[in-house]
Amino acid sequence: MKHRTALRPVAAALAAAAIAGFAAAPAVHASSHREAPTITQYPKMDGTDLYAFRSYEPGRSDFVTIVANYLPLQDAYGGPNYFTLDPDGIYEVHIDNDGDAREDLTYRFKFRYDLKNIALQVGDKTVAIPLRNAGPVNAMDASARNDAESYTVTQIRGSRTRPTAVGSLLKNTSNGASEFAKPLDNIGTKSIPDYAAYAASHVYPVTIPDCAVPGRVFVGQRREGFGVNLGEIFDLVNIPAARVIGSRSGGYNSTAGKNVTSLALELPASCITDGDPVIGVWTTASLPRSRLVSSDPLAQIIVNNNMIQVSRLGMPLVNEIVIGLKDKDRFNASEPKDDAQFAAYVTNPTLPALLEILFGTAGVQAPSAFPRSDLVAAFLTGVTGVNRQLNGVPAEMVRLNTSLPATPKGQQNSLGAAACFVDGALTVSNPGCDPAGFPNGRRPGDDVVDIELRVAMGALLPPGAGKPASAGLPYTDGVLVDDSQFDAAFPYLTTPLPGSPNGSNGLPGNPVSP
């Protein structure tokens, strides 16, 4: 692998990337939660967030972690069924390692659901119980589970839409098994007394086809890590101007009491690159044609075995607040190689203008440099010398330069590369400058809401060039996200909230809502 970048040009180019990614997604909203009309009909297939970053767990610096979250806004108390994934669907993580906007590697997750049908003798009849467990479950004994979810992960090289794209299975290094167990959701401490230990027993070391170094995989419920004030934001940003330009903490976090389901992979960087340290990552989900409610999505992508793509996610916030309402379903059903059709949403983003309308009396102004050809280059192709891939075909995805070292937990700046700027000028020596953060990949502790809001409103623009006088204001949604809220080891997202707020002795435990 060639390490082609040094810190100073990396930080400089990341600044340009920041401008691009942020201005293309220029407001504060939840990251791809129910972001398009059609996907609301298939919540189990709804991708919510995608993280791709150099692993910062001690001793794992040669690995890349990818976490794809699905099934948004889970209430922890959502029994008796809780939040299984769809055994009819396929969930995929795609990697483009040569910049042609086409997948070179795909990791396909396929789930299986098995009912054990535990029954009780009630009088003269044997009757099935209505619950997912008949007693406590732990890492050593799952016999009380009334059902089981398991999954396989298949690595596919080249196009995943080929009828012959069968691929090779990832296997457990300890026993050679190709099927992995998914833990129960966090029902509560009486059902699962030590959920953290129980979930940790479902982190598996895996052999990766054509790779000499094993990786790791985990699929299971995690606590939602994306913080945002959903209600006020979608009510035309119903937040007083003093709070929009105020403290980064203290705001109401609508997702604080929610969980999500994570599909996490840790892969050796050397096995997912191909001469270029920069990779592009996105995730999709597909259902059988027979399961579609109507002829939507508009532009159908047929994956092998007649599966139809219904969800797509790369950079955060794109479909909610960049893509026009008329094209949201089309975007979810599209592939990066065809993203030229959405270019106008990047060159002429609408939401900065909307924020000026909403907060103009407080002095808020939108950038006025149109068309944003610089944003097209940075947001859709990557930036030369940083995260621009060799071919650089315009396409929306998370781009990660795997040659940049990870910043350890506790030293990360949640404002990422934006912290490298003073008065719009790059200052590498600025305290907290962290070029390893978003948009060079995305870490769980990157506060993409605040970063995108500030840069959308012109914080990183050079003087002139349509930069408004209000560009330097400290815009925020008031919900702080940083690395202290996450674990220091794979899969990084933390233990999900329990459905029951009571401890195992019936006394009050952790609350499930903010």
Side-chain angles (χ1 to χ4, degrees):
M1 184 192 320
K2 298 179 181 178
H3 292 199
R4 304 179 301 172
T5 56
L7 177 60
R8 188 170 296 274
V10 164
L14 276 173
I19 295 171
F22 309 150
V28 284
H29 296 275
S31 188
S32 293
H33 296 64
R34 302 172 182 167
E35 76 284 355
T38 294
I39 197 60
T40 62
Q41 302 174 87
Y42 314 109
K44 292 187 178 187
M45 312 306 293
D46 188 358
T48 69
D49 281 286
L50 175 65
Y51 303 94
F53 55 95
R54 281 285 297 270
S55 299
Y56 52 86
E57 177 182 342
R60 307 295 289 184
S61 60
D62 292 334
F63 291 79
V64 169
T65 294
I66 300 173
V67 182
N69 286 346
Y70 280 88
L71 218 172
L73 303 176
Q74 297 177 15
D75 288 319
Y77 50 83
N81 298 301
Y82 296 94
F83 303 98
T84 59
L85 292 179
D86 197 324
D88 289 341
I90 54 175
Y91 302 77
E92 296 178 311
V93 171
H94 311 285
I95 297 174
D96 168 23
N97 60 25
D98 60 10
D100 64 356
R102 301 172 187 268
E103 66 272 16
D104 297 293
L105 288 168
T106 292
Y107 294 90
R108 175 175 293 168
F109 293 75
K110 186 76 173 74
F111 290 85
R112 189 175 80 175
Y113 179 84
D114 293 306
L115 177 64
K116 295 184 178 180
N117 197 27
I118 295 175
L120 298 177
Q121 190 69 31
V122 181
D124 60 349
K125 297 185 181 299
T126 301
V127 184
I129 67 170
L131 306 179
R132 292 192 65 189
N133 59 305
V137 175
N138 59 56
M140 303 302 295
D141 184 7
S143 61
R145 285 194 65 166
N146 194 24
D147 61 2
E149 282 187 280
S150 59
Y151 63 96
T152 58
V153 186
T154 303
Q155 177 182 276
I156 300 170
R157 290 193 173 273
S159 172
R160 46 105 185 211
T161 61
R162 304 187 322 272
T164 58
V166 292
S168 302
L169 291 167
L170 275 62
K171 296 183 179 180
N172 191 325
T173 60
S174 62
N175 58 17
S178 59
E179 192 165 30
F180 308 95
K182 175 179 175 289
L184 272 173
D185 296 333
N186 195 358
I187 296 170
T189 54
K190 190 173 184 179
S191 291
I192 310 172
D194 186 349
Y195 194 88
Y198 170 67
S201 70
H202 293 78
V203 173
Y204 300 100
V206 292
T207 59
I208 301 168
D210 309 313
C211 182
V213 181
R216 288 188 288 185
V217 66
F218 169 82
V219 173
Q221 192 180 51
R222 297 281 88 189
R223 183 170 184 172
E224 175 62 83
F226 190 88
V228 69
N229 187 341
L230 285 172
E232 291 182 350
I233 291 303
F234 285 114
D235 185 20
L236 294 178
V237 195
N238 188 10
I239 302 174
R243 283 176 52 204
V244 173
I245 309 167
S247 173
R248 292 184 64 206
S249 61
Y252 180 74
N253 182 4
S254 304
T255 62
K258 306 295 182 181
N259 293 326
V260 73
T261 299
S262 295
L263 282 61
L265 283 167
E266 189 183 58
L267 305 168
S270 60
C271 292
I272 57 176
T273 54
D274 186 16
D276 182 356
V278 181
I279 59 173
V281 185
W282 70 101
T283 183
T284 63
S286 304
L287 281 171
R289 183 187 297 275
S290 61
R291 283 280 305 277
L292 297 186
V293 174
S294 67
S295 60
D296 292 333
L298 299 176
Q300 295 189 358
I301 294 174
I302 302 176
V303 185
N304 65 340
N305 296 320
N306 208 28
M307 305 291 286
I308 305 299
Q309 180 179 307
V310 295
S311 177
R312 170 189 167 187
L313 180 64
M315 295 281 278
L317 314 174
V318 169
N319 207 353
E320 289 94 338
I321 60 171
V322 178
I323 305 299
L325 183 61
K326 72 182 183 69
D327 284 329
K328 288 182 180 294
D329 287 334
R330 186 181 300 277
F331 182 85
N332 263 358
S334 68
E335 294 182 300
K337 65 182 179 62
D338 299 318
D339 279 350
Q341 64 184 309
F342 304 116
Y345 292 119
V346 178
T347 60
N348 298 73
T350 59
L351 280 174
L354 176 60
L355 291 177
E356 179 177 333
I357 294 171
L358 295 172
F359 297 102
T361 57
V364 172
Q365 296 175 288
S368 59
F370 303 112
R372 300 298 298 270
S373 57
D374 58 326
L375 304 186
V376 173
F379 186 61
L380 299 180
T381 65
V383 178
T384 301
V386 182
N387 60 349
R388 184 183 178 94
Q389 294 173 292
L390 291 177
N391 290 330
V393 174
E396 188 279 309
M397 60 183 78
V398 175
R399 286 183 173 84
L400 172 67
N401 189 335
T402 64
S403 69
L404 282 176
T407 302
K409 175 179 164 64
Q411 301 177 32
Q412 297 174 16
N413 190 319
S414 64
L415 292 178
C420 300
F421 287 79
V422 177
D423 296 327
L426 174 65
T427 307
V428 176
S429 61
N430 190 45
C433 178
D434 186 6
F438 181 75
N440 181 39
R442 180 188 174 190
R443 302 170 301 195
D446 290 336
D447 195 344
V448 294
V449 172
D450 282 7
I451 298 171
E452 293 187 354
L453 179 58
R454 295 180 185 201
V455 179
M457 303 312 293
L460 301 186
L461 287 173
K467 182 173 183 174
S470 59
L473 294 174
Y475 295 97
T476 179
D477 70 334
V479 178
L480 177 65
V481 175
D482 64 28
D483 64 348
S484 69
Q485 300 164 6
F486 300 92
D487 289 340
F490 182 83
Y492 298 96
L493 275 69
T494 59
T495 300
L497 293 163
S500 167
N502 295 323
S504 58
N505 58 0
L507 298 176
N510 293 326
V512 297
S513 59

